Amino acid sequence: MPGRQLIMNFPVTATSHALADYRARGGYQALPKALAMPPQDVTKEVTASGLLGHGGAAFPVGRKWQVIKLNDNQPHFLCANADEGEPGTFKDRWILEHAPHLLVESMVITSYALQVRHAFVYIRGEFDLPYRRLAGAIEEAYAEGLLGENILGTGFACDINVIRGAGSYVCGEASGLLASVEGKRGYPRNRPPRLTVKGLFQRPTVVNNVETLSNVAGIITHGVEAFRQVGLPKCPGTQLVSISGHIEKPGVYEVEYGYPLQKFLYDDCGGILGGKKLKCIIPGGISTKVLTAAECEPLTYDKESLESAGSSLGSGGMIVIAEGTCMVRLLQVMLRFYHHESCGQCTPCREGMGWLHRIIDRIVGGQGRPEDLDRMIAISKLNDGTTICGMGDAAGYATVGILAKYRDEFEYWIEHKRSRLDGNLEAIAHA
Amino acid sequence: MKHLIPEFEKWKRRFPAGYESSLVMPCVRRIQEDRGYVADSDIDGLVEYLGVSRMQIEEVLSFYTQFRRKPIGRWHVQCCRNVSCSMLSAEKLIDHLAKKLGVAPGQTTADGRFTLSTVECLGSCGTAPVVVVNDTYHENMSVAKVDVLLEGLK
Ligand SMILES: Cc1cc2nc3c(=O)[nH]c(=O)nc-3n(C[C@H](O)[C@H](O)[C@H](O)COP(=O)(O)O)c2cc1C
Ligand code: SF4
Ligand code: FES
């Protein structure tokens, strides 16, 4: 195991998602404890824990929650982000399928802290079993007085509704998500005003990732000190890492921050598929910058270490790429995706994604021109900071990252009108 | 959609009063599950029931890739083509599916049984490649497993 565990700390069985099992392993002890505290003290605890957001930006949770004013005489909303759309990421699904009550309990606590009467979970439309598990857990919670009116006899009332998405990557972006919950197109919007000031239906709203919220119950049960003992002082706790691609043992692993990356890849995950050599990894979903095998060597798995190498934790969706993989074709797959998912509101993103996609298709089609690579970099940089949401930036970073490190593969394809690596995306032949 | 209103009414009790448009996504989805697509009459019904504008419903229907205005095949075979799946032979799988069904992605077979689609990351990359049929994920797929899967879809 890659370090200590806070979330995946129980064996998965046929009933481990159910309320009885969750209670048997200590679940729903945090809720009465939190409800006996003044709400602002719950926020204080979470702030003191140093918990960071797990949705991609590693934003401190307490700083977001503190913006909500408890006595401002208007409704507040909470939305759990279960859109899990960042390619390479499948960890929130683990929580929804195996520990849905951890999310439900944490959301009731969070709702109490922020004085939220109606909370939402926005879950991607394709997730079927995760949705059914979550909906089942919510019904169990209502039946036992853990949700609804007068929770545990304290007078606190809270409802959780699940909204299912319908196939849109930008709806994972917090403001796009809220637009979708409002029953509109999932267009992200400019800040300010921040969502914590004017969010869902123009009311103060907190949006947090599923995994982020799922840490709250444990912080309340075991206390701030216990949480801070895990991980690093500046980056406490753990991250659910979804690892996929050319790796022997893909899956979801809970990694304690500060754990050595090589040890994780080779000891915990069984090394590179088919005993191949590592070419590079994309550490946190395709929107994070690629790290070459050599760059990975000294790293530990935490915010500071990955950022020191020019990348980031992102969503924890780690994609492992073996030697022999064609980076031109890989970038082509990524750019097709970004082009398809651009919502079209911002010119640099809408047009830029189209240009990048067309250029890479042209290169792969043997019609590339030497000036194409610099053009791609220039287009990517046009997006930097000029778009409403992070997607324009992210697509640009991903493109610049791959071009900076594997430019020779692109030049070879342009010059010889074919891939140096046979356009290969597969490390080993699959049936 | 009228026959679904009792179900919607039940949901409403847990939704914040006065913010009915948060029921748009759930209602549209339920209607599509029921009919297979969203018809003009459904839009009329929702406009009346939720008190939102027709434009809003139309915009939602055209924005989200999972919503449709026309029926599709009985079995909707969707193959992921994003990074992790492509790295584990999804492209071969898509070619195989297209050949076997005799349609290109986006098309429906003449007998109306199958619609083939390519989709982006399904949040299941650790068990790539992934094929979703209607709502069910089929993980760790291969050409041989796809053949068995299709056999079972009548
Ligand atoms: C294009 C785009 C897609 C995103 N998709 C997701 C997602 O699927 N899940 C998620 O939790 N956050 C996603 N985010 C990040 C959210 O905007 C937001 O920062 C996050 O949900 C906040 O939660 P956290 O502070 O707990 O991390 C996305 C951001 C962008 C720009
Ligand atoms: S950056 Fe792209 S995806 Fe984000 S709001 Fe602008 S056009 Fe839409
Ligand atoms: S890339 Fe296919 S499920 Fe994620």
Side-chain angles (χ1 to χ4, degrees):
Chain A
M1 261 187 291
R4 285 168 285 185
Q5 308 201 293
L6 302 172
I7 288 181
M8 297 173 75
N9 54 3
F10 63 92
V12 171
T13 66
T15 57
S16 50
H17 57 278
L19 179 57
D21 284 43
Y22 180 66
R23 275 198 202 277
R25 57 177 186 263
Y28 287 110
Q29 285 176 15
L31 184 58
K33 201 171 161 188
L35 294 179
M37 291 158 69
Q40 55 274 26
D41 285 9
V42 178
T43 298
K44 273 191 200 136
E45 292 273 293
V46 172
T47 306
S49 77
L51 176 65
L52 299 175
H54 287 62
F59 190 81
V61 175
R63 266 190 28 219
K64 194 183 282 189
W65 291 15
Q66 279 167 350
V67 181
I68 305 290
K69 292 193 188 69
L70 294 188
N71 299 310
D72 58 356
N73 292 317
Q74 58 172 329
H76 309 147
F77 292 112
L78 168 69
C79 288
N81 190 340
D83 197 54
E84 192 134 271
E86 178 65 21
T89 318
F90 45 98
K91 46 111 187 161
D92 295 333
R93 176 179 168 193
W94 191 96
I95 295 176
L96 297 164
E97 284 184 9
H98 303 299
H101 279 289
L102 187 60
L103 176 65
V104 173
E105 182 179 17
S106 295
M107 283 184 73
V108 182
I109 296 169
T110 306
S111 297
Y112 174 71
L114 305 173
Q115 294 293 295
V116 166
R117 176 65 182 80
H118 293 94
F120 294 89
V121 181
Y122 188 86
I123 182 170
R124 60 177 302 168
E126 295 85 351
F127 275 174
D128 190 51
L129 180 63
Y131 165 73
R132 285 186 281 122
R133 287 273 170 89
L134 175 65
I138 288 174
E139 291 313 317
E140 282 183 311
Y142 271 107
E144 302 246 337
L146 301 160
L147 266 177
E149 302 289 339
N150 196 16
I151 293 173
L152 295 176
T154 60
F156 177 65
C158 177
D159 285 301
I160 299 183
N161 286 298
V162 185
I163 307 278
R164 303 180 75 180
S168 162
Y169 174 62
V170 283
C171 287
E173 194 277 341
S175 63
L177 181 150
L178 296 183
S180 189
V181 174
E182 288 181 8
K184 301 180 190 148
R185 288 185 165 187
Y187 286 138
R189 72 148 172 82
N190 270 318
R191 275 76 128 192
R194 280 180 292 174
L195 302 180
T196 40
V197 176
K198 276 184 196 289
L200 187 65
F201 297 112
Q202 301 295 308
R203 304 297 187 178
T205 303
V206 164
V207 179
N208 273 130
N209 171 262
V210 163
E211 183 190 352
T212 311
L213 289 170
S214 297
N215 276 290
V216 170
I219 291 170
I220 298 300
T221 307
H222 304 294
V224 169
E225 277 321 302
F227 181 77
R228 293 195 61 88
Q229 267 170 23
V230 180
L232 305 176
K234 277 196 205 156
C235 188
T238 63
Q239 170 104 29
L240 299 192
V241 175
S242 335
I243 186 166
S244 69
H246 301 148
I247 188 81
E248 278 291 332
K249 293 193 264 176
V252 183
Y253 295 80
E254 184 166 10
V255 180
E256 182 172 352
Y257 288 128
Y259 192 79
L261 186 54
Q262 295 293 311
K263 198 162 168 335
F264 175 57
L265 291 174
Y266 290 94
D267 293 353
D268 297 287
C269 302
I272 312 308
L273 195 61
K276 292 254 176 171
K277 273 177 69 181
L278 179 65
K279 179 168 187 166
C280 52
I281 67 165
I282 300 175
I286 66 168
S287 303
T288 55
K289 266 192 187 159
V290 67
L291 294 168
T292 65
E295 286 172 326
C296 288
E297 257 170 44
L299 300 183
T300 49
Y301 189 80
D302 56 84
K303 186 171 186 294
E304 207 165 23
S305 180
L306 292 186
E307 287 179 1
S308 74
S311 192
S312 60
L313 290 169
S315 63
M318 192 180 287
I319 302 173
V320 178
I321 299 159
E323 223 163 56
T325 307
C326 175
M327 298 306 282
V328 183
R329 290 275 291 107
L330 201 79
L331 184 60
Q332 186 188 26
V333 171
M334 289 164 51
L335 291 175
R336 181 184 62 202
F337 167 76
Y338 285 124
H339 183 203
H340 182 256
E341 295 300 333
S342 170
C343 81
Q345 288 189 100
C346 322
T347 311
C349 173
R350 180 187 63 236
E351 302 301 324
M353 293 310 126
W355 291 338
L356 289 172
H357 184 200
R358 278 193 293 278
I359 293 174
I360 193 117
D361 275 357
R362 189 165 77 206
I363 294 174
V364 169
Q367 304 291 313
R369 303 166 200 154
E371 65 273 21
D372 278 346
L373 301 181
D374 286 335
R375 188 171 292 147
M376 286 178 82
I377 291 170
I379 296 169
S380 299
K381 290 195 170 151
L382 267 185
N383 273 290
D384 204 352
T386 59
T387 54
I388 295 174
C389 89
M391 193 187 111
D393 288 345
Y397 296 149
T399 306
V400 170
I402 289 181
L403 276 172
K405 290 169 190 174
Y406 298 100
R407 193 178 174 106
D408 53 323
E409 288 185 34
F410 291 80
E411 286 170 346
Y412 186 97
W413 200 318
I414 291 170
E415 190 182 334
H416 297 87
K417 306 193 184 306
R418 63 182 171 82
S419 169
R420 195 170 70 202
L421 297 161
D422 286 335
N424 187 27
L425 288 175
E426 301 159 31
I428 56 165
H430 254 247
Chain B
M1 59 77 79
K2 293 257 148 59
H3 65 288
L4 296 172
I5 287 181
E7 214 174 308
F8 298 164
E9 281 297 306
K10 259 195 355 223
W11 297 348
K12 234 183 185 171
R13 280 188 258 138
R14 286 183 190 168
F15 273 72
Y19 300 103
E20 272 65 30
S21 76
S22 52
L23 280 154
V24 167
M25 293 292 284
C27 290
V28 169
R29 186 175 180 111
R30 185 66 190 93
I31 288 166
Q32 179 166 297
E33 272 171 12
D34 186 58
R35 191 194 290 282
Y37 65 101
V38 180
D40 287 343
S41 61
D42 297 323
I43 302 179
D44 295 337
L46 265 190
V47 166
E48 195 189 314
Y49 176 64
L50 292 177
V52 296
S53 72
R54 188 180 177 90
M55 178 74 93
Q56 183 176 343
I57 309 277
E58 296 268 11
E59 279 187 356
V60 161
L61 288 170
S62 61
F63 182 81
Y64 297 93
T65 51
Q66 287 193 322
F67 292 148
R68 45 180 185 265
R69 296 295 314 277
K70 290 198 184 87
I72 56 163
R74 179 169 149 77
W75 300 108
H76 189 194
V77 181
Q78 302 149 84
C79 191
C80 173
R81 59 172 184 174
N82 211 292
V83 172
S84 300
C85 284
S86 295
M87 285 169 57
L88 292 164
S89 70
E91 296 182 342
K92 266 185 218 145
L93 220 54
I94 294 166
D95 289 346
H96 179 75
L97 279 164
K99 212 181 287 162
K100 184 123 182 169
L101 298 174
V103 292
Q107 295 178 339
T108 301
T109 55
D111 60 5
R113 277 173 63 216
F114 294 100
T115 298
L116 178 64
S117 299
T118 53
V119 291
E120 298 301 347
C121 182
L122 291 158
S124 192
C125 330
T127 45
V130 186
V131 174
V132 174
V133 179
N134 295 355
D135 275 338
T136 309
Y137 278 47
H138 300 272
E139 303 171 38
N140 292 309
M141 290 310 280
S142 63
V143 166
K145 284 191 197 166
V146 156
D147 285 342
V148 175
L149 176 64
L150 291 183
E151 282 300 304
L153 303 177
K154 292 302 167 200

